[in-house]
């Protein structure tokens, strides 16, 4: 695959660049394996793969610190891995097994990690956006400088609840970054046919929310824009919008043949704009890694992913009484 040649000078260290490469490659290999397991019937229901969009979440996670939160929609496996959730637990949840993050009850679209402050995985389009604003409200109420990353797609950007959340976030100056992962096609309709405005982030101007469009196939550009947005929020200046223009290689879900675009279009993106190949090229041309080094990284990652698949297969299905757990909060606040 021919990567797009770039003369861009990395704005990060060689070690950071290599870490981005590893993180993006882990997501790519994990999603490829998830697709295989879905085809084998080991993953049921819906399965939305993140292949092609890896630079978005890896670039933004590189801007976070301990205590920051993230919430997203159903194309969520990459977000889980990027924030450090265990591939074994993620894959086990995808297959509906007891060893999964939601003990096999949530599946692909509904898993959480309190430890990593990952609040889903939500199947209702746009519904996570006001929830993300709520998480940010809690941090503002507590008086810390934590930031919440609230991800949603170009399709969800047309939901009314998104703009209600924009309004509240602007009024209360909430430390939330609204991340529009614009993969151009939503569920299957191009942005040009579904959305009246060419630049979705500009809708925030009506609420006084600053923002910008970002090249989502360039992890360094995402990191740079993310740093600016995070600094804005930590300085108590209120919300920020990032419209990150990316591209998914697969259909909306595993059941989508994606006939609304040509194979040539997808292949052109793979050949010229692949985010992983772009970083690979930077590592090689900058002499930060050799071909042998990168092959060894890929081998190690494939083992991690294969091990996660085996863990999932060996993990038992949830017991029937698991239906009655996790219904109520385990910690009941004491009365004043």
């Amino acid at each position: 695959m021919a990567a797009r040649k770039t003369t861009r000078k990395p704005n990060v260290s060689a070690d950071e660049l290599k870490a981005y490469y590893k993180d993006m490659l882990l997501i790519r290999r994990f999603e490829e394996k998830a697709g295989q397991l879905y085809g084998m019937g080991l993953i049921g229901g819906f399965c939305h793969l993140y292949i092609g969009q890896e630079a978005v979440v890896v670039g933004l996670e590189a801007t976070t610190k301990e205590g920051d939160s993230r919430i997203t929609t159903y194309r969520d496996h990459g977000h889980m891995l990027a924030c450090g959730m265990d591939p074994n637990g993620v894959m086990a949840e995808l297959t509906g097994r007891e060893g999964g993050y939601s003990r096999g009850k949530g599946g692909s679209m509904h898993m959480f990690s309190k430890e990593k402050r990952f609040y889903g995985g939500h199947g209702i389009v746009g519904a996570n956006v006001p929830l993300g604003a709520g998480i940010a409200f809690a941090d503002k109420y507590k008086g810390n400088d934590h930031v919440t990353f609230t991800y949603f797609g170009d399709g969800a950007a047309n939901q009314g609840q998104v703009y209600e959340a924009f309004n509240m976030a602007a009024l209360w100056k909430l430390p939330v970054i609204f991340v529009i992962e614009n993969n151009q096609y939503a569920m299957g309709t191009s942005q040009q046919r579904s959305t009246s405005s060419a630049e979705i982030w500009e809708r925030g101007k009506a609420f006084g929310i600053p923002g910008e469009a970002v090249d989502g196939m360039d992890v360094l550009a995402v990191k740079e824009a993310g740093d600016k947005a995070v600094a804005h929020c930590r300085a108590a200046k209120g919300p920020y919008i990032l419209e990150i223009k990316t591209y998914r290689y697969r259909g909306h879900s595993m059941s989508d043949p994606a006939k609304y675009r040509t194979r040539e279009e997808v292949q052109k993106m793979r050949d010229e704009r692949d985010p992983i190949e772009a970083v690979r090229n930077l590592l090689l041309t900058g002499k930060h890694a050799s071909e042998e080094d990168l092959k060894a990284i890929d081998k190690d990652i494939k083992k991690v992913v294969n091990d996660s698949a085996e863990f999932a297969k060996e993990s038992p299905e949830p017991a029937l009484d698991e239906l009655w757990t996790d219904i109520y909060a385990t910690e009941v606040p004491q009365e004043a």
Side-chain angles (χ1 to χ4, degrees):
M1 180 185 295
R4 178 183 55 150
K5 300 299 181 182
T6 178
T7 57
R8 180 188 182 95
K9 184 177 180 180
N11 55 358
V12 297
S13 69
D15 287 343
E16 288 173 307
L17 193 63
K18 192 176 292 186
Y20 300 164
Y21 180 77
K22 290 178 180 178
D23 290 344
M24 289 194 292
L25 193 59
L26 172 61
I27 295 171
R28 178 73 57 90
R29 296 291 180 246
F30 184 94
E31 293 290 68
E32 289 169 348
K33 178 60 71 174
Q36 292 175 9
L37 295 184
Y38 186 91
M40 296 166 61
L42 294 175
I43 295 176
F46 292 100
C47 185
H48 306 83
L49 302 182
Y50 203 64
I51 297 173
Q53 299 185 209
E54 297 90 351
V56 179
V57 71
V58 169
L60 290 182
E61 279 294 334
T63 71
T64 64
K65 72 174 187 178
E66 188 73 25
D68 290 341
S69 302
R70 60 283 291 161
I71 185 170
T72 187
T73 55
Y74 41 72
R75 198 178 307 281
D76 51 5
H77 317 151
H79 297 75
M80 300 167 195
L81 298 174
C83 73
M85 290 170 66
D86 184 359
N88 286 0
V90 177
M91 193 69 85
E93 188 59 41
L94 290 181
T95 55
R97 304 303 178 96
E98 193 176 80
Y101 269 97
S102 295
R103 297 176 187 159
K105 298 181 293 186
S108 173
M109 295 189 283
H110 304 284
M111 61 182 100
F112 305 83
S113 172
K114 183 178 180 181
E115 177 188 9
K116 298 297 182 182
R117 296 184 66 86
F118 179 82
Y119 295 106
H122 292 268
I124 305 301
V125 175
N128 64 302
V129 180
L131 293 177
I135 297 168
F137 178 84
D139 284 326
K140 183 178 177 66
Y141 186 82
K142 293 173 182 176
N144 58 48
D145 68 345
H146 298 161
V147 173
T148 297
F149 292 79
T150 300
Y151 296 85
F152 57 102
D154 47 308
N158 293 320
Q159 292 284 320
Q161 58 197 320
V162 171
Y163 301 99
E164 293 180 62
F166 281 4
N167 185 54
M168 288 187 288
L171 276 174
W172 298 334
K173 293 190 179 301
L174 301 183
V176 55
I177 300 173
F178 295 108
V179 183
I180 305 168
E181 293 195 80
N182 185 352
N183 62 31
Q184 317 300 318
Y185 285 99
M187 282 187 66
T189 303
S190 68
Q191 180 187 342
Q192 291 74 19
R193 294 179 58 210
S194 66
T195 305
S196 61
S197 50
E199 301 293 329
I200 302 175
W201 70 270
E202 291 185 341
R203 295 179 177 182
K205 291 181 178 179
F207 304 94
I209 304 176
E212 60 187 288
V214 187
D215 180 359
M217 306 306 275
D218 182 345
V219 70
L220 300 180
V222 176
K223 168 69 163 55
E224 186 174 3
D227 282 336
K228 185 192 302 184
V230 165
H232 176 90
C233 289
R234 294 206 203 282
K237 294 180 179 179
Y240 201 94
I241 298 174
L242 293 175
E243 180 186 352
I244 306 188
K245 299 188 178 184
T246 182
Y247 195 89
R248 55 173 167 79
Y249 296 161
R250 302 290 184 90
H252 171 69
S253 70
M254 286 295 295
S255 59
D256 174 19
K259 292 183 178 180
Y260 40 82
R261 58 186 182 180
T262 65
R263 291 182 179 180
E264 290 75 18
E265 176 185 310
V266 178
Q267 192 59 50
K268 182 176 175 63
M269 289 295 293
R270 281 184 175 271
D271 290 344
E272 299 179 7
R273 303 282 284 121
D274 187 79
I276 299 176
E277 286 297 311
V279 175
R280 183 178 188 277
N281 180 57
L282 286 173
L283 288 170
L284 291 174
T285 57
K287 301 189 185 304
H288 304 307
S290 65
E291 289 279 4
E292 290 70 27
D293 293 333
L294 299 183
K295 286 179 181 178
I297 290 172
D298 195 12
K299 182 179 178 180
D300 291 343
I301 287 174
K302 284 180 178 177
K303 184 180 186 309
V304 170
V305 171
N306 288 333
D307 287 349
S308 74
E310 290 305 311
F311 175 84
K313 292 175 186 176
E314 294 172 3
S315 183
E317 294 189 359
L320 187 60
D321 59 6
E322 187 63 46
L323 288 170
W324 308 107
T325 64
D326 303 317
I327 297 173
Y328 302 106
T330 56
E331 298 178 6
V332 180
Q334 298 294 318
E335 293 184 6

